[in-house]
Structure formats: structure tokens, C-alpha cells
Amino acid sequence: MEFWIIFLNVKQQCKIHLGLGENTFEMFNKGYEIKSLILGNFFAFQVHTVTLIPGDGIGPEISTAVMKIFEAAKVPIQWEERNVTAIKGPGGKWMIPPEAKESMDRSKIGLKGPLKTPIAAGHPSMNLLLRKTFDLYANVRPCVSIEGYKTPYTDVDLVTIRENTEGEYSGIEHVIVDGVVQSIKLITEQASRRIAEYAFEYARNNQRSSVTAVHKANIMRMSDGLFLRKCREVAENYKDVKFTEMYLDTVCLNMVQDPTQFDVLVMPNLYGDILSDLCAGLIGGLGVTPSGNIGANGVAIFESVHGTAPDIAGKDLANPTALLLSAVMMLRHMGLHADAKKIETACYDTIRDKKVLTKDLGGNSKCSEFTTEICRRVQDMD
Amino acid sequence: FTSKTLMQSNNKPPPARYGGRHTVTLIPGDGIGPELLNHVRELFRFSCVPLDFEVVNINSSITSEDDINNAITAIRRNGVALKGNLETNHTLPPSHKSRNNVLRYTGLDLYANVMRCQSLPGVQTRHKNIDIIIIRENTEGEYSSLEHESVPGVVESLKIITRNNSLRIADYAFQLAREKGRRRVTAVHKANIMKLADGLFLQCCREVASGYPDIAFDSMIVDNTTMQLVSKPHQFDVMVMPNLYGNVVSNVCAGLVGGPGLVPGANYGHNYAVFETATRNTGKSIAGRNIANPTAMLLASCLMLDHLKLHDYASMIRNAVFATMNESLLHTPDIGGQGTTSEMVQSVMRNIKSSGPLTTEL
């Protein structure tokens, strides 16, 4: 019964939103939009499971805050909490606990708080393990100025998409002779094409008008040249999105003078690391910046990128904004746009009002008070 | 480790030539380079600076190495050069290396790139009163141009960090900090990820720092550095870093103080020095339209005069430029005004005439 309702619904929506007639040829061409409409309807009808990784330090408190807000907004999400402390698997290789992996493979969507990177614990950082386990190849960071949290830069609205698996962070280094060290930057055709395709798909799905490839091909002719070539090739298939290329130094120079000229930026690993943090600094820092990691096989993990803040852990002082905005990003990824808008608006309104703000945003309220205020706004909206 | 730094070994400027006049190599470059350097020549002639320019043209569209080699020979002969940026056509094969780089490290070992980002009075920026010196290793790191395609579709690019060069640049940074009365040097790195390469750089900086107990030393990861620069730039004093991070950080800082048209840059080696604009832009889109900002190039020429120990002329021109900057009506489009290059240069000349000792006819 539900299937027919969905089908009728989608056909109606196609007519209304896409201006399509009964012509199947038209419908074939607009395949992607129809698929997302179907998925959106599908999600709207069922409760979706999300793997929640609270993390360390302030992680548990901000995760609780997000869960509370989602409950108040009546979002159809069921949380599955998992721990990802590394364990040594058979064969001596470090891996994440099998329950966590199984949960993520099943639900495909994850929300993660900050993880502690232990020094001299013998195992690599957890973030690296997660990245390798789920082949999280794209790191997406939308940076939007928050009204009410003043920085010298207003009207920032851009997205950085960073290749997350190779590039300068391959970890391939060696000492050639004493005093000479070589570090290898690896660029492959496959990874470059994959990230370029993701960037253009993202631009198309989120109504962004242009994609800019950031590179240093004047110096690193072959490696960044390959990256650039792949971007150009992929751009050919997405004529509706404008494609430009810009040197890294020019981007940095223009970014601090006029960030409004940028829309979607796609780039290899190191430049992405630097630029995404630069953009986070423009809007107010890591405490208010959302982030998402997209993997192969449809896995997506959304996370807050700030640290664990052990000095304020457990004291109800943390700011859940970063994790909350990442969760909103997650909702959009799942097609639950109405819920996403509701929660995002409540959050921005609370910050704009300035009555109930956590310490890092300039107020002196507690985390729970901030959360309650957002919940109240969300409920008022219904 | 014995430090053989620029300050110690090069106390004397290149010997003055005939009749007490220096000769300096001038490389016009592409884009706005030629017009700005013409203004510099005009200004020097007007102010009676005892300096002659030997112009060496490099045509960046020709792929032969001859003109670059001529330029290197000329700079070796004169010891000092003033240059515009050379365009690099990155669609050409990798064997055709960036000309700017070839000049810098292959021929002349100009290992230190020094850029002082200072907020200029009269220029509107989001952050005020910034004064940061950025020292960037200029010869190795990611700019080694050593790349190969192991298998079709898999490219490796090598980043080389050596102990000698890292020690050299760290020593230069601390010496400069001491000379200029600066209190802190910050090393910028990514040693948490590139443990061996940036780890070596950081270790060398620490070793050198122990020899300068009067100067504080700390380090910061590059992504955090850029975030801090756009929110709290006043915490930085002197910064030292490898090549690529230097590129990023110097462009961010140039943007913070008002843009590429305002900041001069200098490349120093043991024996030679080349001066140019800090952010090395060709400015193709504004070439020939008389709207380029001459400030960066004029201030670069002042740095050159200081290097040649012609301090009086340097201060005279520098003060005239600052006085001109104060008049916002004369600002060029890149800093929000509508003035032209020639108007700005004329104003600088007028300021010199009213304050300087001897000038030719205006």
C-alpha cells in the first residue's frame, strides 16, 4: 500500500517540482532528481538508523545535546551508540571494534564527536583508522557566516571539498642519507576523478553555481597537473556548473580579502587541510564548523572537527553547535530537508538572539540551557 | 655547526662601479612587471639615485634556456637584481620548469625569502596594526620539481627537506629577528603528519633556537596558523617555514594587510639578492591599463637600496610612498580607489621634490 502512495506522490512531485509531463523521455533525462525525490519520500516514511560515536572529552555531552534536539524536533532517526577505541585484530593489525564496523555498514550514516588521539599508545589515530576502514575519500566542509557570531568576515558562503586519502598525507617518507629526508606526495588518476565527480555532484545537488579547482600546477607540473586534468574532464559532463581553476596562493590571497567570490572549492589533501581550516577561521573557528566525510559504498560520517577539550569535559560548558550543524548536514545528505531546515533555523535564531549562549560564543549559559532553548524553538515551530 | 650567514659574510655591498654608481640587473618579466619597473627607473632618475640598470629580457614563451642563463650571469656579475614576475605556462611539459624558480635556486642559491607584512596607514583593512616578518625557505621542500609517473595514472612528487638548508634558514631567521629587535620566532610545520620531513625541519629550528636564548621560540601547525592569522593575527612576530607553507602564509598575510599591490619581497643568498613583489603575481588581467598598484614594486626597490647601503635614498622614497598612501583619492582599484599608476608615481615624485635634496626636472 505504502509503495503506491510513494509512487503517486513522486509522480505528483515530479510534475510540480520538475515541471515534467507524462513524457517518459523527459523523466529519463531527469533521472537523478527523480531518484532523490523517491529516496526522500522513502526516508520520510521510515525511521532511519544512524550510528552515533560520542567520542571523548566533551563528546558525550554534545552528543546528548544533539539527541535531545532531534527528539524535540521529532526527526525519524534511531541512534545506535558505538565506541571506536582501536583494538588489535587477528594478525596484529589495529582495527576498529567489529560491532562499530557492522553497525556502520548497516546504517551507512554516522555522526561522530571528537576523538582523542593518544600519544605513544602504539596505534594510529582513530580518525585515520576510520578513514581507511570506510574509504572516506571526500571531506566536505561548508562554511557559512553565522549571523550573531561576529567575525571580521561577513557573508561567507562556500564549501571546501578535500581529497582525503592520498596527496601529501600518504605517509610515505624516508631518510635517504643522514640529513636528507624525502616525503612523497601521491596523486592518482582514480582518486582525482572520484573527488572531482563528487564535487560536481555536490554542486549540482545543492544548487551551487561554480566549482573551483585549487592547485599549484605551475610548480608541481605532473602531480597537480594530473589532478587538474581529471577535474577538467569531469567538468565536461557537468556543463550546468561553472568550472574555474586557481592557484593556491591566489586563492589564499583573495580569500582573506573577499571570501564572497568563492563557491565550491575542490583540491588535493594538503591544500584542502589548510584551506578548510582557513575558511573555518573566517566564520568563527572549529567550534561552529560542521564537517562531513563521504566514503565509497555510500557510507557517510559527519563529525565535529574541534578537539576533545578535556579541561571543560563533564562541566556542562561545551558548545554543541559544531556537532549539531554536522548533524543538520547529515539530515540534508539523507534527504530530510524539512527537518534539517527546522533545526538549523532554531540554532541560528538562538545564536542571533544572544540571550542563551555558551561561553565560547560570548555568553555564560550552560550547554544544557543552550540545548533547551533550541529544543523550545524547534517545538514552537511545529 | 658554524653559521655562515648573510649578515656575517656579506658585510659589504657589491662594489660600486664607475664613478660611484652601482649597477643592478633589471628583469621586466611579464604582465605588469615592465610598466612598474619603468616607473621605478623613472623615479630613480628623478631622485638622482646613483644607480644604473642593466635590463635583461626573458621571454617566457620561448622554451630555450639561453635567456635564463644570460639573466643568471648578469645577476652574478652585478650581485643584485630587481625583477617582475615571469609567467609559467603550466600546460607545457614538466621539463619546462618555472622560470622564477630556476632563477631563484638553481642559479643563485637565494635560500631566504623575506617578506615583511606591515599595515600601511591610509589603507582600509579588517585587521589593523599588523607587523609580521615571514621567512620562507626558498630552495627545496615541495618546489624541488622532482616528479615522476611510476605507472600511468599514478604520479609521485618528492618533497625534499635537508638538515643543512633547514639549519641555514633557521639561523637566518634568528639572526634577522635579533637584528630587527624582534622577540619571538614561530616555526610553521605539519610534523604531526609528515613526521620525518617536517620533523627534521622543526628539530633544526629547535637546535638553532637554543643558541639564541634572548629570542623566544615556538611552533604551530600550518592549518592552525592560517586559522589564527584570520582571527588573531597580532599574536605573530617572526615566522619561519618551509617552501610551500611559506607560499600559503605569505599570501594570507599579504591579503590581511591589503593585497598583493602593497607588499615588497626580497630573496637573499650568501652572495646575491633579488628583489620583487612579495606575492609574485604577474597581473596579466591588469597589464597595460595603468591601474596596477606601484607600491609593492617601489617598496621593493627601497629594500634594494637598503641592501646597497644607500639608506638615505631608501628612506626618502619610502616616506614619499607612505605619504602618498595616506591620500585615499590616489588609491588604485586594488585597494578600493580609482586612481591610476602614473598619478601615484607623480605624487611620490612631488613628495620627494618637496622633501629631498636634489631632483631633476619634474
Side-chain angles (χ1 to χ4, degrees):
Chain A
M1 188 58 183
E2 281 83 357
F3 179 72
W4 284 108
I5 297 175
I6 294 173
F7 185 69
L8 283 172
N9 235 329
V10 167
K11 207 165 165 207
Q12 258 183 330
Q13 288 180 29
C14 282
K15 280 195 188 160
I16 299 168
H17 296 298
L18 304 179
L20 291 182
E22 298 285 322
N23 191 340
T24 40
F25 184 72
E26 268 185 300
M27 293 186 101
F28 181 77
N29 277 345
K30 292 264 185 174
Y32 193 87
E33 280 94 324
I34 295 179
K35 186 168 119 193
S36 70
L37 270 174
I38 292 177
L39 275 178
N41 279 288
F42 192 59
F43 277 127
F45 274 118
Q46 62 154 220
V47 174
H48 201 73
T49 315
V50 168
T51 307
L52 176 68
I53 301 163
D56 310 305
I58 53 172
E61 352 180 342
I62 53 178
S63 305
T64 317
V66 170
M67 283 198 282
K68 224 189 277 176
I69 295 171
F70 270 46
E71 204 184 303
K74 298 200 204 55
V75 183
I77 282 193
Q78 180 187 310
W79 304 99
E80 249 182 41
E81 271 192 53
R82 290 286 181 272
N83 188 341
V84 291
T85 321
I87 58 169
K88 232 182 184 162
K93 231 172 70 143
W94 288 100
M95 51 184 240
I96 64 170
E99 314 86 56
K101 184 170 191 318
E102 183 269 334
S103 168
M104 190 69 79
D105 282 336
R106 199 176 4 99
S107 63
K108 299 288 189 197
I109 309 279
L111 184 67
K112 172 174 107 37
L115 289 175
K116 195 168 52 182
T117 299
I119 310 173
H123 62 73
S125 89
M126 234 71 73
N127 291 314
L128 187 63
L129 267 181
L130 278 171
R131 203 172 300 145
K132 287 224 147 65
T133 313
F134 298 107
D135 196 13
L136 300 172
Y137 66 90
N139 178 278
V140 183
R141 222 184 261 192
C143 293
V144 181
S145 281
I146 298 183
E147 214 185 318
Y149 188 40
K150 268 210 116 338
T151 61
Y153 300 89
T154 53
D155 297 331
V156 180
D157 185 5
L158 51 89
V159 181
T160 58
I161 297 181
R162 157 193 176 189
E163 206 292 322
N164 220 358
T165 61
E166 54 173 29
E168 298 81 349
Y169 293 179
S170 326
I172 313 169
E173 292 187 298
H174 20 268
V175 181
I176 315 236
V177 287
D178 189 28
V180 179
V181 175
Q182 172 180 302
S183 173
I184 295 187
K185 161 177 167 167
L186 192 65
I187 300 277
T188 59
E189 191 176 314
Q190 190 207 358
S192 305
R193 192 182 316 117
R194 194 165 60 164
I195 192 73
E197 269 169 6
Y198 181 77
F200 279 96
E201 277 294 334
Y202 183 91
R204 196 179 257 179
N205 295 346
N206 291 277
Q207 288 85 44
R208 314 287 310 204
S209 49
S210 72
V211 171
T212 307
V214 180
H215 65 98
K216 272 216 79 67
N218 51 345
I219 306 289
M220 286 180 258
R221 201 71 59 81
M222 282 175 88
S223 34
D224 282 354
L226 174 61
F227 180 80
L228 210 51
R229 267 199 318 276
K230 291 298 136 202
C231 287
R232 284 191 194 130
E233 276 172 31
V234 172
E236 292 297 313
N237 299 335
Y238 291 83
K239 293 284 194 195
D240 49 328
V241 179
K242 182 164 157 244
F243 174 68
T244 47
E245 1 181 299
M246 213 186 244
Y247 288 138
L248 172 66
D249 39 7
T250 316
V251 172
C252 289
L253 190 58
N254 292 342
M255 184 73 79
V256 294
Q257 294 182 275
D258 180 22
T260 58
Q261 56 185 288
F262 296 105
D263 196 356
V264 177
L265 300 164
V266 62
M267 58 212 119
N269 216 332
L270 175 69
Y271 314 151
D273 192 9
I274 300 178
L275 270 183
S276 57
D277 275 6
L278 178 65
C279 298
L282 295 177
I283 61 168
L286 297 179
V288 293
T289 311
S291 170
N293 298 294
I294 312 295
N297 308 320
V299 172
I301 301 184
F302 298 85
E303 59 175 355
S304 57
V305 284
H306 53 72
T308 51
D311 46 335
I312 56 169
K315 296 187 189 157
D316 199 19
L317 293 171
N319 180 356
T321 307
L323 193 63
L324 186 63
L325 291 177
S326 304
V328 164
M329 218 178 134
M330 176 185 79
L331 289 173
R332 291 216 163 94
H333 178 87
M334 290 159 65
L336 298 167
H337 294 282
D339 291 308
K341 192 90 190 107
K342 200 161 57 173
I343 298 178
E344 191 186 54
T345 315
C347 181
Y348 282 164
D349 284 346
T350 310
I351 297 179
R352 195 185 320 127
D353 248 8
K354 294 199 205 206
K355 288 206 207 80
V356 190
L357 290 179
T358 50
K359 191 146 170 283
D360 61 314
L361 291 173
N364 45 27
S365 304
K366 291 195 176 313
C367 174
S368 42
E369 291 167 5
F370 183 70
T371 312
T372 316
E373 175 68 17
I374 301 182
C375 291
R376 186 186 65 77
R377 281 178 194 271
V378 162
Q379 277 157 346
D380 282 347
M381 276 192 222
D382 280 331
Chain B
F1 173 69
T2 52
S3 70
K4 184 174 182 286
T5 65
L6 182 64
M7 264 63 82
Q8 287 173 4
S9 66
N10 198 12
N11 281 323
K12 300 191 292 290
R17 296 298 172 88
Y18 306 107
R21 296 176 68 80
H22 295 272
T23 310
V24 161
T25 308
L26 188 79
I27 300 171
D30 304 312
I32 52 175
E35 55 191 90
L36 293 182
L37 289 170
N38 273 338
H39 285 303
V40 170
R41 272 196 286 190
E42 217 181 293
L43 188 69
F44 278 22
R45 207 176 308 139
F46 172 79
S47 326
C48 300
V49 178
L51 196 128
D52 292 317
F53 286 108
E54 180 189 346
V55 181
V56 180
N57 280 306
I58 299 180
N59 191 336
S60 43
S61 48
I62 301 180
T63 49
S64 85
E65 298 288 313
D66 287 341
D67 40 4
I68 268 284
N69 290 333
N70 287 340
I72 294 178
T73 315
I75 301 176
R76 282 212 177 105
R77 194 182 330 124
N78 296 321
V80 176
L82 185 62
K83 88 184 244 300
N85 199 41
L86 297 161
E87 193 187 336
T88 306
N89 185 352
H90 63 257
T91 55
L92 289 176
S95 50
H96 176 79
K97 299 193 193 299
S98 156
R99 292 296 173 71
N100 301 299
N101 275 352
V102 171
L103 267 183
R104 246 169 255 134
Y105 56 80
T106 316
L108 305 164
D109 198 24
L110 300 168
Y111 64 90
N113 176 279
V114 181
M115 172 177 153
R116 182 174 179 196
C117 287
Q118 210 182 358
S119 292
L120 292 181
V123 179
Q124 284 292 357
T125 51
R126 290 183 177 90
H127 308 271
K128 314 257 177 249
N129 297 325
I130 295 178
D131 193 355
I132 305 174
I133 296 183
I134 296 169
I135 297 163
R136 161 188 177 186
E137 209 291 325
N138 218 3
T139 61
E140 55 175 25
E142 298 81 350
Y143 285 40
S144 320
S145 291
L146 295 165
E147 298 177 289
H148 44 268
E149 191 162 8
S150 330
V151 177
V154 177
V155 176
E156 277 189 351
S157 172
L158 302 180
K159 162 178 167 165
I160 311 285
I161 300 276
T162 59
R163 192 172 165 72
N164 280 346
N165 288 351
S166 305
L167 285 172
R168 191 166 65 163
I169 194 68
D171 202 61
Y172 185 92
F174 278 92
Q175 283 273 3
L176 189 69
R178 188 177 263 176
E179 199 188 284
K180 303 275 181 196
R182 299 289 190 140
R183 282 186 294 257
R184 196 172 72 244
V185 172
T186 307
V188 178
H189 65 97
K190 189 89 190 158
N192 52 342
I193 306 284
M194 284 184 254
K195 299 188 172 63
L196 289 182
D198 284 351
L200 176 61
F201 180 81
L202 200 55
Q203 192 190 334
C204 293
C205 288
R206 287 207 182 102
E207 272 178 39
V208 173
S210 58
Y212 292 82
D214 51 323
I215 301 178
F217 171 72
D218 57 7
S219 62
M220 197 184 266
I221 300 183
V222 62
D223 41 10
N224 190 20
T225 308
T226 49
M227 208 180 331
Q228 297 292 328
L229 275 170
V230 293
S231 42
K232 298 192 212 88
H234 302 98
Q235 58 183 293
F236 296 105
D237 196 358
V238 177
M239 299 166 81
V240 64
M241 60 205 91
N243 217 331
L244 183 67
Y245 312 146
N247 188 223
V248 171
V249 171
S250 55
N251 275 277
V252 170
C253 290
L256 290 176
V257 300
L262 299 176
V263 191
N267 304 285
Y268 296 106
H270 281 311
N271 303 312
Y272 312 111
V274 173
F275 300 87
E276 53 178 354
T277 63
T279 48
R280 305 168 179 171
N281 302 94
T282 327
K284 251 191 335 217
S285 53
I286 54 173
R289 287 163 54 188
N290 201 16
I291 53 171
N293 194 334
T295 310
M297 198 57 90
L298 290 174
L299 291 177
S301 60
C302 293
L303 290 177
M304 179 182 71
L305 291 172
D306 275 325
H307 180 78
L308 293 170
K309 306 277 197 272
L310 295 168
H311 297 295
D312 292 336
Y313 290 102
S315 324
M316 182 175 78
I317 297 178
R318 197 174 281 133
N319 289 337
V321 172
F322 287 163
T324 307
M325 276 272 96
N326 266 324
E327 296 171 51
S328 49
L329 278 175
L330 290 168
H331 284 183
T332 43
D334 62 311
I335 42 178
Q338 286 165 338
T340 62
T341 317
S342 28
E343 275 170 24
M344 267 207 75
V345 175
Q346 294 287 329
S347 164
V348 173
M349 288 200 222
R350 270 198 304 275
N351 277 317
I352 291 176
K353 190 175 167 78
S354 57
S355 67
L358 174 73
T359 57
T360 58
E361 290 296 307
L362 223 168

